[in-house]
């Protein structure tokens, strides 16, 4: 007799045996720079809440007010009956922040990539990706009927080679890259990518999930960082990281918005944000515009923390953002260091092969504008003491 269900348990057990299963930690209370996880007070070094906005009073109040005025849910997908004035206000505000004609908000960043990427190119076209692009881009690419090309990470000579190969064989070319890469915290050379795209008549798409709120003028993201306003076709981002809420978006021309909302299946076939979410995202943009201190403090923390780690002898790779890897070599070193610091009240997780190369296992740390100097000094002391104890520095 056929057994179509045994795999559920078998596959799970395989993951457990190979130590590849996720052990979920429970955050008891809000996500704050010092928080409670599994009953213990810890310094949070692995949230994406870079600007510490997830508990900002104005953003919380906007969510409460929107529930009172508009209810708990939107009642529909936006294309039918779930398009509220709150959603329209958010998109207009985002377009002003980005200095573009139009923006379209999706339920999540993943939904934006998985929904839009496959529509931009089809049979007879090619998508060219950086080899380290995020999984949501990879899934979007998989859903497309276009051919696929890959270039070595941030390697512009290799991108040019792939473009030259593609030049005569394909109609449309789409170049897609993360703006900030999540394992190393390095920034894509978007100025050079745009230049090559212009030479070859290609379209450009940048996923700025980790750059939003961190790089660019006052945290306006990667297009602002490179001064490329008007020259990047799709700037995609998320409200789930520095903005402290949830939601994805794309920004660019009105033509892009018209196309994206009529073609993205994730947008057309999935309920819209509850009023509280849309209002909180809108308030988060206002905070970014009106309170530059969060961005300023974030950068003071980033510079201090990186410099101290390096002076202790840790290898921090070549990060230019709020993500600082502490590279310790083999997987077992990264696991041991993570276990030791968590036991000492510092919460940062190991990133292991196959997420990164076998000899580049690491602990990934992320700065928050809400960390005090005392928080950082405590975390640094714990990292240094355990790094020495384990013979890593
Ligand atoms: C987090 C992330 C996403 C997904 O964004 P969500 O809004 O959380 O779904 C997409 N791309 C990159 C590069 C990310 O880091």
């Amino acid at each position: 007799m056929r057994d179509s269900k045994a795999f559920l348990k078998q596959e799970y057990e395989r993951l457990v045996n190979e130590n590849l299963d996720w052990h979920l930690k429970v955050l008891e209370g809000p996500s704050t720079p010092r928080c409670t996880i599994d009953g213990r007070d810890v310094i949070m070094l692995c949230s994406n809440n870079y600007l510490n906005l997830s508990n900002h009073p104005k953003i919380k109040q906007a969510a409460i007010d929107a529930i009172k005025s508009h209810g708990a849910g939107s009642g529909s997908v936006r294309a039918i009956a779930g398009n509220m004035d709150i959603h329209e206000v958010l998109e207009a505000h985002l377009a002003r922040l980005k200095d573009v004609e139009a923006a379209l908000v999706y339920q999540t960043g993943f939904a934006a990539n998985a929904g839009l990427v496959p529509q931009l190119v089809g049979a007879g076209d090619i998508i060219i990706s950086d080899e380290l692009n995020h999984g949501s881009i990879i899934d979007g690419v998989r859903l497309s009927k276009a051919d696929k090309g890959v270039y070595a990470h941030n390697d512009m000579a290799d991108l040019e080679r792939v473009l030259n190969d593609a030049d005569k064989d394909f109609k449309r070319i789409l170049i897609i890259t993360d703006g900030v890469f999540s394992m190393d915290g390095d920034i894509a050379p978007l100025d050079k990518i745009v230049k090559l795209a212009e030479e070859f008549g290609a379209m450009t798409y940048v996923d700025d999930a980790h750059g939003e709120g961190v790089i660019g003028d006052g945290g306006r993201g990667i297009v602002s960082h490179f001064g490329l306003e008007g020259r990047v076709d799709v700037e995609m981002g998320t409200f789930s990281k520095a903005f402290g809420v949830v939601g994805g978006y794309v920004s660019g021309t009105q033509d892009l918005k018209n196309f994206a909302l009529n073609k993205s299946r994730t947008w057309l076939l999935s309920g819209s944000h509850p009023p509280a979410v849309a209002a909180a995202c809108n308030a988060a943009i206002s905070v970014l515009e009106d309170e530059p201190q969060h961005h300023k403090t974030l950068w003071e923390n980033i510079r201090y923390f990186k410099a101290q780690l390096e002076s202790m002898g840790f290898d921090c790779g070549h990060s230019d953002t709020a993500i600082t890897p502490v590279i310790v070599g083999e997987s077992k070193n990264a696991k041991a260091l993570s276990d030791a610091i968590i036991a000492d009240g510092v919460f940062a997780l190991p990133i292991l092969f196959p997420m990164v190369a076998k000899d580049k296992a690491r602990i990934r740390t992320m700065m928050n504008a809400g960390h005090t100097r005392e928080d950082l000094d405590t975390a640094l002391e714990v990292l240094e003491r355990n790094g020495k104890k384990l013979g890593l520095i």
Side-chain angles (χ1 to χ4, degrees), residues 46-61:
C46 55
S47 97
N48 300 123
N49 184 24
Y50 300 121
L51 295 172
N52 198 24
L53 299 191
S54 64
N55 293 285
H56 192 291
K58 288 183 190 160
I59 301 175
K60 290 200 291 189
Q61 192 59 49

Side-chain angles (χ1 to χ4, degrees), residues 231-253:
R231 291 174 64 194
V232 175
D233 299 302
V234 186
E235 186 178 6
M236 173 269 162
T238 178
F239 288 100
S240 74
K241 292 186 170 122
F243 281 123
V245 191
V246 75
Y249 64 80
V250 295
S251 61
T253 60

Side-chain angles (χ1 to χ4, degrees), residues 76-351:
S76 171
V77 300
R78 279 182 67 195
I80 299 178
N83 184 41
M84 292 175 153
D85 47 2
I86 293 188
H87 299 117
E88 297 277 330
V89 166
L90 170 60
E91 287 173 348
H93 196 180
L94 186 58
R96 282 202 302 283
L97 176 83
K98 294 290 178 183
D99 200 12
V100 292
E101 283 175 18
L104 182 69
V105 172
Y106 290 72
Q107 296 85 350
T108 64
F110 201 114
N113 284 335
L116 181 56
V117 172
Q119 302 300 328
L120 295 175
V121 273
D125 303 329
I126 185 168
I127 307 183
I128 303 178
S129 296
D130 186 289
E131 63 177 340
L132 295 187
N133 278 347
H134 189 258
S136 56
I137 296 179
I138 294 172
D139 280 17
V141 170
R142 281 185 186 146
L143 287 169
S144 156
K145 295 190 173 66
D147 274 55
K148 285 105 195 170
V150 173
Y151 60 96
H153 176 53
N154 279 352
D155 182 336
M156 292 300 99
D158 201 37
L159 172 58
E160 193 168 359
R161 176 189 66 77
V162 178
L163 280 164
N164 272 315
D165 286 350
D167 202 20
K168 33 190 193 320
D169 296 335
F170 296 99
K171 213 162 62 208
R172 288 206 298 276
I173 301 176
L174 172 65
I175 305 174
I176 186 160
T177 182
D178 278 22
V180 172
F181 289 86
S182 55
M183 298 302 155
D184 287 282
D186 54 335
I187 301 176
L190 195 62
D191 50 345
K192 301 194 177 73
I193 292 173
V194 165
K195 202 158 160 285
L196 282 169
E198 287 170 351
E199 272 173 44
F200 284 84
M203 187 175 189
T204 44
Y205 186 125
V206 64
D207 173 341
D208 202 29
H210 291 281
E212 189 67 61
V214 179
I215 59 175
D217 174 29
R220 280 172 174 72
I222 190 159
V223 171
S224 157
H225 175 84
F226 284 107
L228 291 169
E229 286 83 356
R231 291 174 64 194
V232 175
D233 299 302
V234 186
E235 186 178 6
M236 173 269 162
T238 178
F239 288 100
S240 74
K241 292 186 170 122
F243 281 123
V245 191
V246 75
Y249 64 80
V250 295
S251 61
T253 60
Q254 186 64 45
D255 287 342
L256 171 73
K257 177 172 179 171
N258 293 342
F259 177 90
L261 82 82
N262 280 286
K263 301 288 274 189
S264 304
R265 291 166 64 79
T266 53
W267 194 89
L268 290 165
L269 302 176
S270 183
S272 57
H273 278 159
V277 171
C281 292
N282 191 48
I285 299 176
S286 297
V287 170
L288 186 79
E289 291 172 323
D290 300 342
E291 301 181 10
Q293 65 267 30
H294 308 294
H295 182 250
K296 185 166 165 280
T297 312
L298 173 66
W299 273 98
E300 284 164 10
N301 285 350
I302 291 171
R303 291 197 182 95
Y304 179 73
F305 196 68
K306 271 193 220 299
Q308 294 295 311
L309 280 173
E310 277 166 356
S311 77
M312 290 170 183
F314 281 116
D315 173 4
C316 297
H318 37 261
S319 161
D320 296 307
T321 61
I323 298 169
T324 300
V326 178
I327 301 170
V328 293
E330 288 174 51
S331 288
K332 66 174 177 23
N333 292 340
K335 271 192 201 151
L337 182 58
S338 175
D339 288 346
I341 64 173
I342 291 174
D344 285 344
V346 175
F347 190 49
L349 292 179
I351 307 275

